[in-house]
Amino acid sequence: MFILWFDQLGIEDVSYVGGKNASLGEMYINLTGRGVRIPNGFAVTAYAYRYFLEKAGIKEQIRDILKDLNTGDMQNLAERGQRVRDTILRAEFPQELKSAILAAYRDLCGAYNKDRSDTDVAVRSSATAEDLPDASFAGQQETYLNIRGDFQILEACKKCIASLFTNRAISYRVDKGFDHFSIALSIGVQKMVRSDLACSGVMFSIDTESGFKDVAFVTGAYGLGENVVQGAVNPDEYYVYKPTLKQGFKPIISKKIGTKEQKMIYTHEGNKSTKNVPVSSAERNKFVLNDEEILTLARWACQIEDHYSGKAGKFKPMDMEWAKDGVTGQLFIVQARPETVMSQKNRNILETYVLKQKGKVLVEGKSVGERIGTGEANVIKNVHDIGLFKKGQVLVTEMTDPDWEPIMKIASAIVTNRGGRTCHAAIISRELGIPCVVGTIDGTEKIKTGQQITISCAEGDMGFVYEGILPFEVQKVNLEHLPKPKTKIMMNCGNPEEVFDLSFIPNDGVGLAREEFIIMSYIKAHPLALLHYHEQTPEVKKQIDDISIGYDDKVQFFVDKLAQGVGMIAAAFYPKDVILRFSDFKTNEYANLVGGKNYEPKEDNPMIGWRGASRYYSPGYKEGFALECRAILKVRNEFGLTNLKVMVPFCRTVAEGKQVLAEMEKNGLRKGENGLQVYVMCEIPANVILSDQFSEVFDGFSIGSNDLTQLMLGLDRDSEIVAHIYDERNDAVKRMIKKVIADAKQYHRKIGLCGQAVSDYLEFAEFLVECQIDSVSLNPDTVIKTTLKIYETEKKLGWHPQ
């Protein structure tokens, strides 16, 4: 059986087809009926591959060439690989196989052209051992795009077969323990999707960095998809939250615009079928997909993941490629295969890399993985120079493709100028378990060969390359036997880029999510400057334009970015409670935002000035507060993340609390509607003394021990002169905390604590448990030790069996 059409393929044909093409067949049968678009085509089967080797009489020649193979010797590997490929390329297809391939191609042409004239196809190779659950073999074999005509089809098929013996494929099989002749190859011939006129990309049904399973991660760039796959461009990135997507919501919880410097298009110049051309700045500053297209792809990711998980009888996240046709505007899935790294990770072991000190940053880019690596840099710009690389060095290069794999596997870390989190360098470094920083732009210029460097992917979304060898440690905790206290253990979070990782730490949700980090890191501009953009100076306008690329509507930029940041946090912990504190900048901090100086007064002591609740109903800021409310409404109503609660900080009087609730209602946030709960920070003595009255206004309290301490002891916590007096463990502070916990219990209101003290002092956590507090919210790095201490205290109090 030489040929099988995708619409005739089933699981029983895996032995004939193998790898991705079996997946294409299954997808065609099982998913096209559910609305997933897959380009039609046929497979030249693995049986045909074996038939070719036997009939052409070259199998024994290949075996003889490889008998003294040494993959540790680059020259030996290159010489033998070239000889095998030449042997295959010189061989002739048996006439019966050639006729079958050309007849199938002509039938495919007839499906698109009445006169059966040549149509454009993708010729994609797929090995039977490719895309196994624990080995991706990513890009080991070749793909040829925009292939037309009988001669090109046959040549492309032969090149696909030869690509089974590229240097990197030979080396990879040896490393993974596969026999060269137990592997077979099939070839998928698909009608081309004209993404050269639109866009394409890669999609995962899992977060590729943390392994968080509830998001679809979509990347995209203009033109044919090879640039995204190989890391030749920095693509746009999108996250969609799968659980509420399946409920009918539209949870695009992150959108980041990529630089997308070039795109691959069709060409007929010489022997080439594709070429790269620059992308205009206007196109680069736009997202390649609109929201509905992002959601469609994410829905398909869910369907494909569910399909293969059902067949496997277990959770099976998927790695997919998609393309948009620029002629019809339709989206297509062109490939699906199992994700092979995060799905294999042991979640019972919490491994954390911690950098002990920081140094001079040489370059930064996107972090891949969460590890830290050190070593001597080796800047290699051409794959022909990989023989100069030594084991344990840090590979610094423009980008990688599968030809680099023989040295990637001996590198201590990888740094590339180009690429995103789904590029070749990222996929292989994850599989190898080494840190990788991609998209640094100028890493090959800023880093010098022989220089000692440290590569840190342990600091969130951004990866850093530091000068020198910096100390770090690896902390490992077995979570299997961690006890579960009755007191809720929540976390303090502010950085959305860290929350997927943090979600794996045992927790009961987020007791304090801060808006300030999101505003400072992602928005950077004062909300009133965005609201009154046209009144700003040319200099401020340019700053706003630079930080809001992709947005003409600057107000929508604020709402979307705040909603996405908050949405990431709420999604990471869904359905557990996430308590979001409204913005609590002081006036001097607001003034430092772009355009902020025009809207903020100068205060002698901003710490006890115009901050928190007093801003939200004030004519000087309530327009800005309205944008915060719009963002929260979007998270709850559009994203479907109703686990999000809100909290009012620095509320001095009961009347002020009522004014804030009224202002919220004007902007669509009504306490109690759709389960919305509103808490108040208990950080002013008045909150404790009038806790009965505040209980009538709010659903719960969160004790802010930082501000409560400074106001009880009458000191400025920013002043180093009186810093020695500042102590949350002071009896006056503890008496206030004990009183408000008791009062909250009496008035049936929830109460927790989110101040620094519970993270810093284990004895303070013990005190809170004795007071029977409902929850404590901790800095993530203290969760494990504090959990153990709290459980031990509860046990002493007789809350658990001895």
Short mmCIF file of all heavy atoms in Angstrom, two decimals, residues 69-102:
data_model
loop_
_atom_site.label_atom_id
_atom_site.label_comp_id
_atom_site.label_asym_id
_atom_site.label_seq_id
_atom_site.Cartn_x
_atom_site.Cartn_y
_atom_site.Cartn_z
N LEU A 69 30.17 4.38 12.56
CA LEU A 69 29.68 5.71 12.93
C LEU A 69 30.11 6.08 14.35
O LEU A 69 30.05 5.26 15.25
CB LEU A 69 28.15 5.72 12.84
CG LEU A 69 27.43 6.97 13.38
CD1 LEU A 69 27.68 8.16 12.47
CD2 LEU A 69 25.92 6.70 13.50
N ASN A 70 30.55 7.35 14.54
CA ASN A 70 30.87 7.90 15.86
C ASN A 70 30.24 9.28 15.96
O ASN A 70 30.79 10.25 15.45
CB ASN A 70 32.38 7.96 16.06
CG ASN A 70 32.75 8.56 17.41
OD1 ASN A 70 31.89 8.83 18.25
ND2 ASN A 70 34.04 8.80 17.63
N THR A 71 29.08 9.37 16.62
CA THR A 71 28.37 10.66 16.67
C THR A 71 29.09 11.68 17.56
O THR A 71 28.76 12.86 17.53
CB THR A 71 26.93 10.47 17.18
OG1 THR A 71 26.97 9.87 18.48
CG2 THR A 71 26.13 9.60 16.23
N GLY A 72 30.05 11.23 18.36
CA GLY A 72 30.84 12.16 19.16
C GLY A 72 31.92 12.85 18.37
O GLY A 72 32.51 13.84 18.81
N ASP A 73 32.19 12.35 17.16
CA ASP A 73 33.19 12.93 16.26
C ASP A 73 32.44 13.65 15.15
O ASP A 73 31.84 13.01 14.26
CB ASP A 73 34.07 11.81 15.70
CG ASP A 73 35.17 12.31 14.77
OD1 ASP A 73 35.00 13.40 14.18
OD2 ASP A 73 36.18 11.61 14.61
N MET A 74 32.43 14.98 15.20
CA MET A 74 31.64 15.77 14.24
C MET A 74 32.01 15.47 12.79
O MET A 74 31.16 15.41 11.91
CB MET A 74 31.79 17.27 14.53
CG MET A 74 31.22 17.71 15.87
SD MET A 74 29.47 17.41 16.01
CE MET A 74 29.23 17.60 17.77
N GLN A 75 33.29 15.29 12.53
CA GLN A 75 33.74 15.03 11.16
C GLN A 75 33.26 13.66 10.70
O GLN A 75 32.79 13.50 9.57
CB GLN A 75 35.27 15.11 11.08
CG GLN A 75 35.80 15.03 9.65
CD GLN A 75 37.30 15.29 9.57
OE1 GLN A 75 37.90 15.78 10.53
NE2 GLN A 75 37.90 14.98 8.44
N ASN A 76 33.38 12.66 11.57
CA ASN A 76 32.91 11.32 11.25
C ASN A 76 31.41 11.33 10.97
O ASN A 76 30.93 10.75 9.98
CB ASN A 76 33.23 10.39 12.43
CG ASN A 76 32.67 8.99 12.27
OD1 ASN A 76 31.48 8.77 12.38
ND2 ASN A 76 33.56 8.02 12.01
N LEU A 77 30.64 12.01 11.83
CA LEU A 77 29.19 12.10 11.67
C LEU A 77 28.82 12.78 10.35
O LEU A 77 27.98 12.28 9.59
CB LEU A 77 28.59 12.87 12.85
CG LEU A 77 27.10 13.21 12.77
CD1 LEU A 77 26.25 11.94 12.76
CD2 LEU A 77 26.69 14.10 13.95
N ALA A 78 29.48 13.91 10.06
CA ALA A 78 29.16 14.67 8.85
C ALA A 78 29.48 13.88 7.59
O ALA A 78 28.70 13.87 6.62
CB ALA A 78 29.92 16.00 8.86
N GLU A 79 30.61 13.20 7.60
CA GLU A 79 31.04 12.46 6.40
C GLU A 79 30.09 11.28 6.12
O GLU A 79 29.66 11.07 4.98
CB GLU A 79 32.47 11.96 6.62
CG GLU A 79 33.13 11.38 5.38
CD GLU A 79 32.96 9.86 5.29
OE1 GLU A 79 32.77 9.22 6.35
OE2 GLU A 79 32.99 9.33 4.16
N ARG A 80 29.72 10.54 7.15
CA ARG A 80 28.83 9.41 6.95
C ARG A 80 27.41 9.84 6.61
O ARG A 80 26.74 9.22 5.78
CB ARG A 80 28.85 8.49 8.18
CG ARG A 80 30.00 7.51 8.09
CD ARG A 80 30.70 7.27 9.40
NE ARG A 80 31.93 6.49 9.19
CZ ARG A 80 33.09 7.01 8.76
NH1 ARG A 80 33.17 8.30 8.47
NH2 ARG A 80 34.15 6.25 8.58
N GLY A 81 26.96 10.90 7.25
CA GLY A 81 25.64 11.40 6.92
C GLY A 81 25.54 11.83 5.46
O GLY A 81 24.56 11.52 4.77
N GLN A 82 26.55 12.53 4.98
CA GLN A 82 26.55 12.99 3.59
C GLN A 82 26.54 11.82 2.61
O GLN A 82 25.84 11.83 1.60
CB GLN A 82 27.77 13.89 3.33
CG GLN A 82 27.75 14.60 1.97
CD GLN A 82 26.57 15.54 1.85
OE1 GLN A 82 26.39 16.43 2.66
NE2 GLN A 82 25.73 15.32 0.83
N ARG A 83 27.33 10.78 2.91
CA ARG A 83 27.40 9.62 2.02
C ARG A 83 26.07 8.89 1.95
O ARG A 83 25.64 8.46 0.87
CB ARG A 83 28.51 8.67 2.50
CG ARG A 83 29.91 9.15 2.17
CD ARG A 83 30.97 8.25 2.79
NE ARG A 83 30.85 6.87 2.32
CZ ARG A 83 31.48 5.83 2.87
NH1 ARG A 83 32.27 6.03 3.93
NH2 ARG A 83 31.33 4.61 2.38
N VAL A 84 25.38 8.76 3.10
CA VAL A 84 24.07 8.10 3.09
C VAL A 84 23.07 8.92 2.28
O VAL A 84 22.33 8.38 1.44
CB VAL A 84 23.54 7.89 4.52
CG1 VAL A 84 22.10 7.39 4.49
CG2 VAL A 84 24.41 6.91 5.29
N ARG A 85 23.04 10.22 2.49
CA ARG A 85 22.09 11.07 1.76
C ARG A 85 22.37 11.03 0.26
O ARG A 85 21.43 10.97 -0.56
CB ARG A 85 22.15 12.50 2.29
CG ARG A 85 21.65 12.63 3.74
CD ARG A 85 21.45 14.07 4.15
NE ARG A 85 22.67 14.86 4.16
CZ ARG A 85 23.54 14.90 5.16
NH1 ARG A 85 23.35 14.16 6.24
NH2 ARG A 85 24.62 15.67 5.10
N ASP A 86 23.62 11.09 -0.12
CA ASP A 86 23.96 11.01 -1.55
C ASP A 86 23.51 9.69 -2.15
O ASP A 86 23.02 9.64 -3.29
CB ASP A 86 25.47 11.18 -1.74
CG ASP A 86 25.94 12.61 -1.48
OD1 ASP A 86 25.08 13.51 -1.43
OD2 ASP A 86 27.16 12.82 -1.30
N THR A 87 23.66 8.61 -1.39
CA THR A 87 23.24 7.29 -1.87
C THR A 87 21.75 7.28 -2.16
O THR A 87 21.29 6.75 -3.19
CB THR A 87 23.58 6.22 -0.81
OG1 THR A 87 25.00 6.20 -0.60
CG2 THR A 87 23.12 4.83 -1.26
N ILE A 88 20.95 7.86 -1.25
CA ILE A 88 19.49 7.90 -1.44
C ILE A 88 19.12 8.79 -2.61
O ILE A 88 18.27 8.42 -3.45
CB ILE A 88 18.81 8.38 -0.14
CG1 ILE A 88 18.99 7.35 0.98
CG2 ILE A 88 17.32 8.66 -0.37
CD1 ILE A 88 18.58 7.82 2.35
N LEU A 89 19.74 9.96 -2.70
CA LEU A 89 19.38 10.91 -3.76
C LEU A 89 19.75 10.41 -5.15
O LEU A 89 19.12 10.78 -6.15
CB LEU A 89 20.03 12.27 -3.48
CG LEU A 89 19.51 13.02 -2.25
CD1 LEU A 89 20.37 14.24 -1.95
CD2 LEU A 89 18.05 13.43 -2.44
N ARG A 90 20.78 9.56 -5.24
CA ARG A 90 21.18 9.02 -6.55
C ARG A 90 20.30 7.86 -6.99
O ARG A 90 20.22 7.52 -8.16
CB ARG A 90 22.64 8.54 -6.49
CG ARG A 90 23.67 9.67 -6.56
CD ARG A 90 25.05 9.12 -6.88
NE ARG A 90 25.50 8.15 -5.87
CZ ARG A 90 26.27 8.48 -4.83
NH1 ARG A 90 26.65 9.74 -4.67
NH2 ARG A 90 26.64 7.56 -3.97
N ALA A 91 19.61 7.23 -6.02
CA ALA A 91 18.79 6.06 -6.34
C ALA A 91 17.54 6.47 -7.11
O ALA A 91 17.04 7.60 -6.98
CB ALA A 91 18.41 5.33 -5.05
N GLU A 92 17.01 5.54 -7.89
CA GLU A 92 15.81 5.78 -8.68
C GLU A 92 14.59 5.19 -7.98
O GLU A 92 14.66 4.09 -7.41
CB GLU A 92 15.94 5.16 -10.07
CG GLU A 92 16.87 5.91 -11.01
CD GLU A 92 16.33 7.28 -11.40
OE1 GLU A 92 15.09 7.42 -11.52
OE2 GLU A 92 17.14 8.21 -11.56
N PHE A 93 13.46 5.92 -8.01
CA PHE A 93 12.21 5.35 -7.53
C PHE A 93 11.81 4.19 -8.44
O PHE A 93 11.89 4.30 -9.67
CB PHE A 93 11.08 6.39 -7.60
CG PHE A 93 10.98 7.27 -6.38
CD1 PHE A 93 11.04 8.65 -6.49
CD2 PHE A 93 10.79 6.71 -5.13
CE1 PHE A 93 10.94 9.46 -5.38
CE2 PHE A 93 10.68 7.53 -4.00
CZ PHE A 93 10.76 8.90 -4.13
N PRO A 94 11.37 3.08 -7.87
CA PRO A 94 10.77 2.03 -8.70
C PRO A 94 9.59 2.61 -9.49
O PRO A 94 8.85 3.46 -8.97
CB PRO A 94 10.30 0.99 -7.68
CG PRO A 94 11.13 1.25 -6.46
CD PRO A 94 11.39 2.72 -6.45
N GLN A 95 9.39 2.16 -10.73
CA GLN A 95 8.38 2.75 -11.61
C GLN A 95 6.99 2.70 -10.99
O GLN A 95 6.23 3.66 -11.06
CB GLN A 95 8.38 2.04 -12.96
CG GLN A 95 7.43 2.66 -13.98
CD GLN A 95 7.73 4.13 -14.25
OE1 GLN A 95 8.88 4.51 -14.46
NE2 GLN A 95 6.71 4.99 -14.24
N GLU A 96 6.65 1.58 -10.32
CA GLU A 96 5.31 1.44 -9.76
C GLU A 96 5.06 2.43 -8.62
O GLU A 96 3.96 2.94 -8.46
CB GLU A 96 5.05 0.00 -9.31
CG GLU A 96 6.03 -0.55 -8.29
CD GLU A 96 7.29 -1.18 -8.89
OE1 GLU A 96 7.72 -0.74 -9.99
OE2 GLU A 96 7.84 -2.08 -8.25
N LEU A 97 6.11 2.73 -7.85
CA LEU A 97 5.98 3.71 -6.77
C LEU A 97 5.87 5.12 -7.34
O LEU A 97 5.04 5.93 -6.89
CB LEU A 97 7.18 3.61 -5.81
CG LEU A 97 7.22 4.60 -4.64
CD1 LEU A 97 5.95 4.53 -3.81
CD2 LEU A 97 8.44 4.34 -3.76
N LYS A 98 6.72 5.40 -8.33
CA LYS A 98 6.67 6.72 -8.98
C LYS A 98 5.27 6.97 -9.56
O LYS A 98 4.70 8.06 -9.40
CB LYS A 98 7.72 6.77 -10.09
CG LYS A 98 7.81 8.11 -10.80
CD LYS A 98 8.68 8.05 -12.04
CE LYS A 98 10.13 7.76 -11.72
NZ LYS A 98 11.00 7.84 -12.93
N SER A 99 4.72 5.97 -10.22
CA SER A 99 3.40 6.13 -10.86
C SER A 99 2.32 6.38 -9.82
O SER A 99 1.41 7.19 -10.02
CB SER A 99 3.06 4.88 -11.68
OG SER A 99 4.00 4.70 -12.72
N ALA A 100 2.42 5.68 -8.68
CA ALA A 100 1.41 5.84 -7.63
C ALA A 100 1.45 7.25 -7.04
O ALA A 100 0.41 7.86 -6.79
CB ALA A 100 1.63 4.79 -6.54
N ILE A 101 2.67 7.77 -6.79
CA ILE A 101 2.81 9.12 -6.23
C ILE A 101 2.25 10.16 -7.19
O ILE A 101 1.48 11.05 -6.81
CB ILE A 101 4.28 9.42 -5.90
CG1 ILE A 101 4.78 8.50 -4.76
CG2 ILE A 101 4.46 10.90 -5.49
CD1 ILE A 101 6.28 8.59 -4.52
N LEU A 102 2.62 10.04 -8.48
CA LEU A 102 2.18 11.04 -9.45
C LEU A 102 0.68 10.96 -9.71
O LEU A 102 0.03 12.00 -9.92
CB LEU A 102 2.96 10.87 -10.76
CG LEU A 102 4.46 11.17 -10.67
CD1 LEU A 102 5.14 10.98 -12.02
CD2 LEU A 102 4.71 12.59 -10.16
#
